[in-house]
Amino acid sequence: MLSFSIEEYKLRVKETKKKMLEQGIEVLLVTNPANMNYLSGYNGWSFYVDQMLVVMIDEEEPIWIGRKQDANGAKATTWLYKDHIIPYPEDHVHSAAKHPADFVAQILTQIGQNNRRIGLEMESYYFSALMYERLKKNLPSARFIDASLLINYVRLIKSDKEIEYMKRAGKIVEKAMKTAVVSIEEGVRECDVVADIYKDLISGTKEYGGDYPAIVPLLPSGANTSTPHLTWSDKTFKHGEMVIIEIAGCHQRYHAPLARTVSIGKPSDRIMDVSKIVVEGLNEALDAVKPGVTCEEVERAWNKVITKYGIVKESRLGYSMGLNYPPDWGEHTANLRKGDQTVLQPNMAFHLIPGLWFDDYGIEISESFIVTKTGCEVLSHFPRELMIKGEPSILL
Amino acid sequence: MLSFSIEEYKLRVKETKKKMLEQGIEVLLVTNPANMNYLSGYNGWSFYVDQMLVVMIDEEEPIWIGRKQDANGAKATTWLYKDHIIPYPEDHVHSAAKHPADFVAQILTQIGQNNRRIGLEMESYYFSALMYERLKKNLPSARFIDASLLINYVRLIKSDKEIEYMKRAGKIVEKAMKTAVVSIEEGVRECDVVADIYKDLISGTKEYGGDYPAIVPLLPSGANTSTPHLTWSDKTFKHGEMVIIEIAGCHQRYHAPLARTVSIGKPSDRIMDVSKIVVEGLNEALDAVKPGVTCEEVERAWNKVITKYGIVKESRLGYSMGLNYPPDWGEHTANLRKGDQTVLQPNMAFHLIPGLWFDDYGIEISESFIVTKTGCEVLSHFPRELMIKGEPSILL
């Protein structure tokens, strides 16, 4: 069931240890499910209970610690030897009396890791403040170091195989976006459009199936387009409404996000103008992408366009992404925004999402791209414009 | 867009304050998205960035603090006054330089809450260890108290309106389960079955639409049924394989989970026997449910049955559930297991999931139920047995 060769996983562990050495970390507790998957292949919806990989600087293979029920899942999905899979008893699950942190501390002590410099992913969604408190209490001789994004930064540059998976995700989202734009009509319920989108995202193509995206389809309509993170309801679309569709194809946990905006009926001149500004800025930003350029320079290319038209956007223009689990497909490392001096290199991947949200409407038209040796390549090919339904100008 | 009357939300805040008083908490920082929704109505996929409600013991309305981009979402989905919605700037998002914790501490100081007894949800997925560290540093005069499950325990007993939403979710999952059992056939890809399931879960019924469940469909097949939390792949089903389907209908964020097991072709005698034991135990457990009985007594009724047949199950038999967001529909409060002396009361809701996992296969046949005045009522009506495909005995 491995998505990559064992050599690729071992290379990732090696790169992780290089960074551990640089940051003076001897033991790294990996709780971010994307990072667990990245190093070991582990893949299951079990991150709602405490679990982790333990990477030791002087040990070739990581150790998996998780719930007993999930140990067979770890055997099925990872390249780790069976004796590196250490389950904790079921009575530690969501219990006031027993906590997995105590088990973890006991294991670390048994294998002589209790007085080392231990890296913690302090901002991982699945590393709780309570786990942190109890590890500190149970491992008084350890020194703890924040290593929140250590592996995320290893993930920043993708392998060719990872890029291949992302391109497949790009094909999947193309198909789902087409379905979304076709399905949205006056009188249709939001939930029915999302049902159609989901069907395409999950069935994927004939050649490769779809996986669940780390974020559900976002589909605000009408005045709700003024804010980006509302999901859907069972209300029906009305003539004259705008609808934002932000979705991602996913394959083997690798993402290709894509956003488009639909106008049901003819949009106002102002909305038409703003959509053209967004596309102009998006094109300028994509043109600016090439190895050696910084993230903030890409944002500057966009900003120059909108400034010309008197528009201000405070939020970031985009972010690094790839492998992930809910609640976010973003990697939390490089951002296309002012002040980010990350230098672009081939095989980095971004979601470039020039969303503009005003008081009573918003527009999103986005692209996901890979940095190539000479520029960039987008992951999906879909008309880069405001989609207008019920008018002869519709292009699908 | 409110799912409940303002009176119901205010009652929930009142109940929360009662528990705060009991636990000596003056200010409660609510970061669990289900708890945020429960008190304020807030509903958006924005929990991948820091956000919270601040409940003050001497203030009627909570305060919402979140990302600027999401403030319009808070205005659209909550009953809070606009001046109780306090956004932090966009440059605080996933940034090494600025952290929302500093903003939160500043606001708490400005409104004179910095030297109070502050409750924290120490095991909320969306309250990071780093947030905790930085709040402690920035609020040196505050005293922090673990209040992880304070509101979860208020949620334990549902209102009639909440039960109504859960019943709708039960209807939705009935439909999706039927589709799943019909779709599973030799030669069909796992992803295509999940695509069909999703379509039904999200479109819901004609009367009410479906919402995204807090856990994606779990669909292990073959040897992978020996572990409960694997999702799906694009491999095809084979004759003779077992398939576990664990899904939930969701409406207005309220869940009705349901699990069934399918055998593609005639199962072995052993599997047939085990499935009958599971159903017998499930029926005994449901029969034991009534107000005044404890959670562990329900588990005991199940355990008596499997012990008779020489089977041991270490993991819990079920758990309280209802309103939730990814990654879990469980409430993390009452569990149907040994040692849990929670006394059942009308309008509690549980997922009773007698899963058995052996070395090379597993069986799950579950029911979600509401405690009534005299016993219990299941949320879905679906044949309670091993589903056998490709044989004349199939009952659908």
Side-chain angles (χ1 to χ4, degrees), chain B residues 109-137:
Chain B
T109 304
Q110 276 171 17
I111 60 177
Q113 306 295 316
N114 54 312
N115 51 11
R116 303 192 83 173
R117 292 190 301 278
I118 300 179
L120 302 172
E121 296 181 319
M122 292 290 283
E123 287 211 284
S124 161
Y125 301 110
Y126 306 110
F127 177 72
S128 72
L130 190 65
M131 173 66 94
Y132 173 56
E133 276 289 277
R134 289 182 84 139
L135 285 180
K136 277 201 300 185
K137 192 178 153 231

Side-chain angles (χ1 to χ4, degrees), chain A residues 123-126 214-216 218 228-230 246 315-316 319 324-332 335 351 353 357 364, chain B residues 31 33 42 44-51 67 69-70 88 90 92-94 100 125-128 325-326:
Chain A
E123 289 213 281
S124 162
Y125 302 110
Y126 306 110
I215 305 179
V216 297
L218 301 172
H229 297 121
L230 297 183
E246 184 177 346
S315 51
R316 61 186 172 181
Y319 47 81
N324 232 326
Y325 285 84
D328 195 6
W329 54 53
E331 281 179 345
H332 302 190
N335 286 298
H351 184 209
I353 176 155
W357 298 279
E364 291 181 29
Chain B
T31 47
Y42 184 65
W45 191 285
S46 56
F47 38 86
Y48 70 90
V49 298
D50 289 303
Q51 57 180 20
R67 181 181 181 179
Q69 223 174 59
D70 296 315
Y88 60 77
E90 284 293 323
H92 284 52
V93 173
H94 301 161
Y125 301 110
Y126 306 110
F127 177 72
S128 72
Y325 285 85

Side-chain angles (χ1 to χ4, degrees), chain A residues 1-15 37-42 60-62 75-82 159 161 165:
Chain A
M1 286 177 79
L2 290 177
S3 301
F4 298 91
S5 68
I6 293 186
E7 290 65 42
E8 185 157 345
Y9 288 110
K10 288 193 172 171
L11 187 67
R12 294 167 175 185
V13 172
K14 202 177 143 194
E15 292 298 317
N37 175 311
Y38 188 71
L39 297 189
S40 74
Y42 184 63
E60 200 193 348
E61 257 187 45
K75 285 174 197 158
T77 61
T78 72
W79 58 275
L80 306 178
Y81 288 116
K82 283 187 184 177
S159 71
K161 188 82 183 169
Y165 289 154

Side-chain angles (χ1 to χ4, degrees), chain B residues 361-372:
Chain B
Y361 73 100
I363 288 178
E364 292 181 28
I365 298 174
S366 83
E367 295 290 354
S368 288
F369 69 84
I370 304 292
V371 182
T372 62

Side-chain angles (χ1 to χ4, degrees), chain A residues 306-350:
Chain A
I306 60 168
T307 304
K308 188 172 76 183
Y309 295 105
I311 291 175
V312 176
K313 174 181 164 67
E314 287 175 35
S315 51
R316 61 186 172 181
L317 180 67
Y319 47 81
S320 179
M321 55 86 202
L323 170 70
N324 232 326
Y325 285 84
D328 195 6
W329 54 53
E331 281 179 345
H332 302 190
T333 51
N335 286 298
L336 303 175
R337 71 173 156 200
K338 205 177 158 182
D340 193 319
Q341 279 158 28
T342 309
V343 176
L344 297 184
Q345 294 175 60
N347 283 17
M348 286 184 177
F350 289 85

Side-chain angles (χ1 to χ4, degrees), chain B residues 189-230:
Chain B
R189 295 187 306 176
E190 291 179 1
C191 59
D192 290 320
V193 171
V194 176
D196 289 342
I197 292 171
Y198 253 124
K199 189 164 163 60
D200 276 359
L201 290 179
I202 304 304
S203 67
T205 71
K206 275 181 195 169
E207 294 76 26
Y208 34 80
D211 204 345
Y212 57 91
I215 304 180
V216 296
L218 300 172
L219 201 89
S221 65
N224 285 342
T225 57
S226 67
T227 185
H229 296 120
L230 298 183

